[in-house]
Amino acid sequence: STTVRDISEQQAAEARIHELNANLEAQVQLRTAELNQLNLLLSSVLRAATEVSIIATGLDGKIRLFNRGAERILGYAADDIVGKSTTERFFVPEELAARSWELSLETGRPIEGRQALIWKPENEGAENREWTLQRRDGSRFIANVLITAMRDSDGQLTGFLGIAFDSTRRKNAERELASSLATTQAILDTAPNPI
């Protein structure tokens, strides 16, 4: 006895599955190569930004990214900070408390601690202001700090990005310029005939 079945459709379906798998593998390899290129670019940018501190945190406040600029400016090694600390350690407690008080008055509800850093970015997208930051050795400096909310493609908050640069030189130059202008103005005010 013999049974004959037409399996040409099954073979065609299996061939189609193999073809789809091959195409899928090729797409995965292409996407993986693209992601590797993007990761390499991002890593290069973060390594090259040695004059700018770039710090990313998760929603829990823990630092997830601490670039070489942050290491250089703040004096901490990334290995000592990432996953172990929050950004509040870099801010002067009295200044943080004063900002908490300002925001509490502005919003009509208590805002304390880390919330003073992230309330505006979370609710308005970003905040750029001057802060006094503390280095590992305890020294302090004036920094221009931009904090932005990081959101995923669905708009869900995923964390915060802080970018800071030491503005001490700029502040010193502004003070010197103001002093020079004040001296010039005093000379002009006391001269009988400035021309």
Side-chain angles (χ1 to χ4, degrees), residues 46-68:
L46 290 173
R47 275 192 310 275
T50 59
E51 298 300 310
V52 178
S53 168
I54 302 173
I55 301 172
T57 68
L59 291 176
D60 61 357
K62 292 274 176 144
I63 295 172
R64 295 184 349 202
L65 177 112
F66 197 81
N67 81 326
R68 286 193 181 161

Side-chain angles (χ1 to χ4, degrees), residues 66 70-72 74-78 81 89-90 134-136:
F66 197 81
E71 289 180 322
R72 189 188 70 71
L74 296 167
Y76 292 90
I81 294 294
R89 81 179 312 156
F90 310 123
Q134 299 182 119
R135 294 183 179 97
R136 182 179 198 150

Side-chain angles (χ1 to χ4, degrees), residues 6-192:
D6 183 4
I7 59 169
S8 56
E9 284 183 28
Q10 181 182 351
Q11 286 178 332
E14 286 175 3
R16 180 72 178 138
I17 289 171
H18 287 298
E19 180 184 335
L20 289 173
N21 282 340
N23 284 341
L24 185 58
E25 283 182 32
Q27 287 178 2
V28 166
Q29 288 176 349
L30 180 65
R31 294 286 183 234
T32 301
E34 289 173 354
L35 285 173
N36 287 339
Q37 287 295 330
L38 285 173
N39 282 336
L40 180 62
L41 176 63
L42 179 59
S43 294
S44 297
V45 167
L46 290 173
R47 275 192 310 275
T50 59
E51 298 300 310
V52 178
S53 168
I54 302 173
I55 301 172
T57 68
L59 291 176
D60 61 357
K62 292 274 176 144
I63 295 172
R64 295 184 349 202
L65 177 112
F66 197 81
N67 81 326
R68 286 193 181 161
E71 289 180 322
R72 189 188 70 71
I73 292 169
L74 296 167
Y76 292 90
D79 291 342
D80 297 335
I81 294 294
V82 174
K84 301 172 187 168
S85 188
T86 63
T87 54
E88 292 94 284
R89 81 179 312 156
F90 310 123
F91 291 83
V92 175
E94 300 81 23
E95 211 173 81
L96 204 52
R99 183 63 178 149
S100 295
W101 183 76
E102 287 173 9
L103 287 171
S104 295
L105 287 177
E106 183 180 319
T107 62
R109 64 186 189 98
I111 294 180
E112 298 173 348
R114 186 169 94 73
Q115 288 297 311
L117 298 172
I118 63 171
W119 191 89
K120 288 265 186 186
E122 185 174 352
N123 293 285
E124 298 175 11
E127 182 179 42
N128 188 0
R129 63 182 289 122
E130 282 188 350
W131 287 93
T132 304
L133 299 182
Q134 299 182 119
R135 294 183 179 97
R136 182 179 198 150
D137 64 8
S139 63
R140 294 178 175 186
F141 64 100
I142 304 297
N144 188 299
V145 180
L146 171 66
I147 300 174
T148 59
M150 294 188 300
R151 298 186 183 276
D152 64 17
S153 58
D154 296 326
Q156 295 298 312
L157 187 64
T158 60
F160 296 91
L161 179 68
I163 299 173
F165 66 90
D166 186 343
S167 56
T168 305
R169 282 187 233 152
R170 181 181 56 84
K171 289 301 234 181
N172 288 340
E174 286 174 1
R175 276 195 289 275
E176 288 175 17
L177 180 60
S179 175
S180 176
L181 288 173
T183 302
T184 303
Q185 188 61 49
I187 292 169
L188 290 174
D189 288 347
T190 58

